[in-house]
Protein backbone atom coordinates (compact mmCIF):
# COMPACT_ATOMS: atom_id res chain seq x y z
CA UNK A 1 0.00 0.00 0.00
CA UNK A 2 2.84 2.33 0.86
CA UNK A 3 4.33 1.70 -2.59
CA UNK A 4 1.04 2.56 -4.24
CA UNK A 5 0.87 5.88 -2.32
CA UNK A 6 4.49 6.60 -3.25
CA UNK A 7 3.58 6.20 -6.92
CA UNK A 8 0.76 8.75 -6.76
CA UNK A 9 1.65 11.19 -3.96
CA UNK A 10 4.75 13.03 -2.93
CA UNK A 11 5.93 12.67 0.69
CA UNK A 12 4.60 16.17 1.52
CA UNK A 13 1.17 15.30 0.10
CA UNK A 14 1.15 12.08 2.11
CA UNK A 15 1.86 14.05 5.32
CA UNK A 16 -1.01 16.46 4.58
CA UNK A 17 -3.45 13.61 4.00
CA UNK A 18 -2.29 11.87 7.20
CA UNK A 19 -2.76 15.12 9.14
CA UNK A 20 -6.29 15.64 7.74
CA UNK A 21 -7.31 12.05 8.52
CA UNK A 22 -6.04 12.30 12.09
CA UNK A 23 -7.79 15.65 12.53
CA UNK A 24 -11.06 14.13 11.26
CA UNK A 25 -10.63 11.17 13.61
CA UNK A 26 -10.14 13.48 16.62
CA UNK A 27 -13.25 15.46 15.59
CA UNK A 28 -15.36 12.31 15.40
CA UNK A 29 -14.01 11.16 18.73
CA UNK A 30 -14.92 14.50 20.37
CA UNK A 31 -18.38 14.51 18.84
CA UNK A 32 -19.35 11.06 20.01
CA UNK A 33 -17.74 11.37 23.43
CA UNK A 34 -20.01 14.31 24.39
CA UNK A 35 -17.22 16.85 24.78
CA UNK A 36 -18.91 19.32 22.41
CA UNK A 37 -22.51 18.87 23.61
CA UNK A 38 -22.45 21.98 25.82
CA UNK A 39 -20.86 24.05 23.08
CA UNK A 40 -23.50 23.04 20.55
CA UNK A 41 -26.25 23.95 23.04
CA UNK A 42 -24.67 27.36 23.57
CA UNK A 43 -24.28 27.85 19.82
CA UNK A 44 -27.93 26.90 19.25
CA UNK A 45 -29.03 29.28 22.01
CA UNK A 46 -27.03 32.13 20.49
CA UNK A 47 -28.38 31.42 17.01
CA UNK A 48 -31.90 31.31 18.43
CA UNK A 49 -31.52 34.69 20.13
CA UNK A 50 -30.09 36.23 16.95
CA UNK A 51 -33.11 35.05 14.96
CA UNK A 52 -35.57 36.76 17.31
CA UNK A 53 -36.88 40.17 16.33
CA UNK A 54 -36.25 42.88 18.87
CA UNK A 55 -38.44 45.95 18.72
CA UNK A 56 -37.13 49.33 19.69
CA UNK A 57 -39.51 51.23 21.93
CA UNK A 58 -39.63 55.00 21.72
CA UNK A 59 -40.63 57.63 24.26
CA UNK A 60 -43.24 59.98 22.83
CA UNK A 61 -41.70 62.83 24.82
CA UNK A 62 -38.30 62.56 23.12
CA UNK A 63 -38.75 60.76 19.79
CA UNK A 64 -37.34 62.60 16.79
CA UNK A 65 -38.90 63.13 13.38
CA UNK A 66 -36.46 60.72 11.72
CA UNK A 67 -37.13 58.02 14.36
CA UNK A 68 -40.86 58.39 13.80
CA UNK A 69 -40.39 57.85 10.08
CA UNK A 70 -38.70 54.48 10.77
CA UNK A 71 -41.98 53.17 12.22
CA UNK A 72 -44.12 51.43 9.56
CA UNK A 73 -47.16 53.54 8.75
CA UNK A 74 -45.61 56.88 9.71
CA UNK A 75 -44.32 59.00 6.86
CA UNK A 76 -42.84 62.51 6.88
CA UNK A 77 -46.21 64.27 7.06
CA UNK A 78 -47.58 62.16 9.90
CA UNK A 79 -44.28 62.40 11.79
CA UNK A 80 -44.50 66.19 11.54
CA UNK A 81 -48.09 66.08 12.87
CA UNK A 82 -46.99 63.96 15.85
CA UNK A 83 -44.13 66.34 16.68
CA UNK A 84 -46.43 69.37 16.30
CA UNK A 85 -49.02 67.81 18.61
CA UNK A 86 -46.35 66.94 21.19
CA UNK A 87 -44.90 70.45 21.10
CA UNK A 88 -48.28 72.11 21.56
CA UNK A 89 -50.22 69.73 23.81
CA UNK A 90 -47.90 66.89 24.79
CA UNK A 91 -48.53 63.18 25.31
CA UNK A 92 -49.63 61.83 28.68
CA UNK A 93 -50.01 58.29 27.35
CA UNK A 94 -49.59 56.46 24.03
CA UNK A 95 -53.35 56.51 23.37
CA UNK A 96 -53.04 60.28 22.99
CA UNK A 97 -51.71 59.44 19.52
CA UNK A 98 -55.36 58.99 18.57
CA UNK A 99 -55.71 62.77 18.95
CA UNK A 100 -53.10 63.40 16.25
CA UNK A 101 -54.41 64.37 12.85
CA UNK A 102 -54.37 61.35 10.51
CA UNK A 103 -54.09 58.67 13.20
CA UNK A 104 -57.21 56.58 13.59
CA UNK A 105 -57.91 53.30 15.33
CA UNK A 106 -56.35 51.12 12.60
CA UNK A 107 -53.15 53.14 12.38
CA UNK A 108 -52.88 53.29 16.16
CA UNK A 109 -53.17 49.49 16.42
CA UNK A 110 -50.26 49.14 13.97
CA UNK A 111 -47.94 51.60 15.71
CA UNK A 112 -48.82 51.42 19.42
CA UNK A 113 -46.27 48.72 20.26
CA UNK A 114 -43.42 50.97 19.16
CA UNK A 115 -43.98 53.33 22.10
CA UNK A 116 -43.33 52.91 25.79
CA UNK A 117 -46.26 53.24 28.16
CA UNK A 118 -47.35 56.15 30.29
CA UNK A 119 -45.64 54.66 33.36
CA UNK A 120 -42.32 55.72 31.94
CA UNK A 121 -43.17 59.42 31.79
CA UNK A 122 -41.15 61.37 34.28
CA UNK A 123 -42.70 63.68 36.86
CA UNK A 124 -41.13 66.59 35.04
CA UNK A 125 -42.79 65.68 31.73
CA UNK A 126 -46.14 65.13 33.49
CA UNK A 127 -45.89 68.60 35.09
CA UNK A 128 -45.04 70.11 31.71
CA UNK A 129 -48.17 68.49 30.28
CA UNK A 130 -50.32 69.97 33.04
CA UNK A 131 -48.86 73.41 32.40
CA UNK A 132 -49.66 73.37 28.67
CA UNK A 133 -52.65 75.50 27.88
CA UNK A 134 -55.61 74.52 25.81
CA UNK A 135 -55.97 76.18 22.44
CA UNK A 136 -58.45 79.03 22.47
CA UNK A 137 -60.52 78.49 19.33
CA UNK A 138 -61.82 82.07 19.54
CA UNK A 139 -58.34 83.61 19.29
CA UNK A 140 -55.95 80.97 17.90
CA UNK A 141 -54.11 81.57 14.63
CA UNK A 142 -54.27 79.16 11.70
CA UNK A 143 -50.88 77.71 12.73
CA UNK A 144 -52.02 77.17 16.31
CA UNK A 145 -55.25 75.52 15.18
CA UNK A 146 -53.40 73.02 12.95
CA UNK A 147 -51.85 71.51 16.09
CA UNK A 148 -55.28 70.13 16.93
CA UNK A 149 -56.17 66.58 15.84
CA UNK A 150 -58.21 66.48 12.66
CA UNK A 151 -57.50 70.13 11.88
CA UNK A 152 -55.28 70.77 8.89
CA UNK A 153 -54.51 74.14 7.30
CA UNK A 154 -57.76 74.14 5.28
CA UNK A 155 -60.02 73.50 8.30
CA UNK A 156 -58.04 75.95 10.41
CA UNK A 157 -58.66 78.62 7.78
CA UNK A 158 -62.38 77.75 7.80
CA UNK A 159 -62.47 78.19 11.60
CA UNK A 160 -60.82 81.61 11.35
CA UNK A 161 -63.17 82.62 8.50
CA UNK A 162 -66.16 81.44 10.55
CA UNK A 163 -65.05 83.62 13.46
CA UNK A 164 -64.65 86.62 11.18
CA UNK A 165 -68.11 86.12 9.69
CA UNK A 166 -70.06 84.96 12.78
CA UNK A 167 -68.07 86.09 15.79
CA UNK A 168 -66.70 84.00 18.64
CA UNK A 169 -67.89 80.50 19.48
CA UNK A 170 -70.24 80.49 22.50
CA UNK A 171 -69.70 76.82 23.35
CA UNK A 172 -67.32 74.13 22.16
CA UNK A 173 -70.06 72.34 20.24
CA UNK A 174 -70.46 75.41 17.98
CA UNK A 175 -67.27 74.43 16.19
CA UNK A 176 -69.32 71.75 14.41
CA UNK A 177 -70.93 74.57 12.42
CA UNK A 178 -67.64 74.86 10.57
CA UNK A 179 -67.86 72.82 7.38
CA UNK A 180 -65.92 69.54 7.75
CA UNK A 181 -65.98 69.30 11.54
CA UNK A 182 -68.30 66.62 12.85
CA UNK A 183 -69.07 64.85 16.09
CA UNK A 184 -65.99 62.58 16.00
CA UNK A 185 -63.64 65.52 15.54
CA UNK A 186 -65.44 67.45 18.28
CA UNK A 187 -64.92 64.58 20.74
CA UNK A 188 -61.17 64.65 20.04
CA UNK A 189 -61.08 68.43 20.33
CA UNK A 190 -63.12 68.96 23.50
CA UNK A 191 -60.35 68.28 26.04
CA UNK A 192 -57.85 70.31 24.00
CA UNK A 193 -59.74 73.52 23.29
CA UNK A 194 -61.06 76.42 25.28
CA UNK A 195 -63.24 79.44 24.59
CA UNK A 196 -61.22 81.93 26.66
Amino acid sequence: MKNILNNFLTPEQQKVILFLLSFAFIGLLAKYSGLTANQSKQTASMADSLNKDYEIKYDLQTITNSELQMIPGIGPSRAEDIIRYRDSLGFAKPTDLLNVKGIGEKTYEKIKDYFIGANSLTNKSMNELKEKKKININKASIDELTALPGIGPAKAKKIVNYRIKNGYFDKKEDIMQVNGIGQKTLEKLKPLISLE
Side-chain angles (χ1 to χ4, degrees), residues 43-184:
T43 305
S45 174
M46 280 179 37
D48 198 31
S49 68
L50 290 174
N51 288 331
K52 290 181 182 174
D53 288 334
Y54 291 98
E55 289 185 5
I56 297 174
K57 299 262 186 179
Y58 297 102
D59 185 343
L60 282 167
Q61 303 304 328
T62 59
I63 192 167
T64 64
N65 191 305
S66 57
E67 289 172 332
L68 280 165
Q69 291 182 47
M70 290 191 293
I71 297 172
I74 297 179
S77 176
R78 194 163 288 154
E80 189 61 39
D81 291 337
I82 291 170
I83 297 292
R84 190 179 309 125
Y85 182 91
R86 178 185 68 202
D87 291 346
S88 66
L89 300 169
F91 292 103
K93 56 193 175 300
T95 54
D96 288 347
L97 281 165
L98 288 166
N99 296 327
V100 174
K101 175 177 66 172
I103 298 182
E105 298 274 339
K106 286 182 182 178
T107 303
Y108 177 73
E109 286 301 315
K110 290 178 189 174
I111 66 173
K112 70 178 182 181
D113 293 333
Y114 288 92
F115 301 102
I116 55 177
N119 302 358
S120 66
L121 295 178
T122 62
N123 288 335
K124 181 184 173 193
S125 61
M126 289 301 286
N127 290 336
E128 287 172 1
L129 290 174
K130 290 175 186 174
E131 289 174 13
K132 290 198 183 242
K133 294 182 181 176
K134 294 181 179 184
I135 293 178
N136 181 339
I137 57 173
N138 283 327
K139 295 181 181 176
S141 67
I142 291 174
D143 285 341
E144 291 170 323
L145 289 167
T146 57
L148 292 168
I151 307 295
K155 284 185 188 174
K157 190 172 182 179
K158 287 179 184 180
I159 292 170
V160 171
N161 288 338
Y162 179 90
R163 284 191 325 227
I164 293 168
K165 185 177 178 183
N166 302 301
Y168 286 162
F169 298 101
D170 292 324
K171 54 186 184 221
K172 292 179 181 181
E173 290 77 11
D174 290 345
I175 200 168
M176 288 195 306
Q177 293 183 29
V178 174
N179 189 19
I181 298 179
Q183 187 65 39
K184 283 186 177 181

Side-chain angles (χ1 to χ4, degrees), residues 13-63:
Q13 289 173 332
Q14 291 176 15
K15 288 178 186 176
V16 169
I17 289 178
L18 183 61
F19 174 76
L20 291 174
L21 287 173
S22 59
F23 191 71
F25 179 73
I26 291 170
L28 287 172
L29 194 69
K31 181 178 181 180
Y32 290 110
S33 68
L35 292 175
T36 61
N38 287 340
Q39 287 179 332
S40 62
K41 286 179 186 176
Q42 289 174 341
T43 305
S45 174
M46 280 179 37
D48 198 31
S49 68
L50 290 174
N51 288 331
K52 290 181 182 174
D53 288 334
Y54 291 98
E55 289 185 5
I56 297 174
K57 299 262 186 179
Y58 297 102
D59 185 343
L60 282 167
Q61 303 304 328
T62 59
I63 192 167

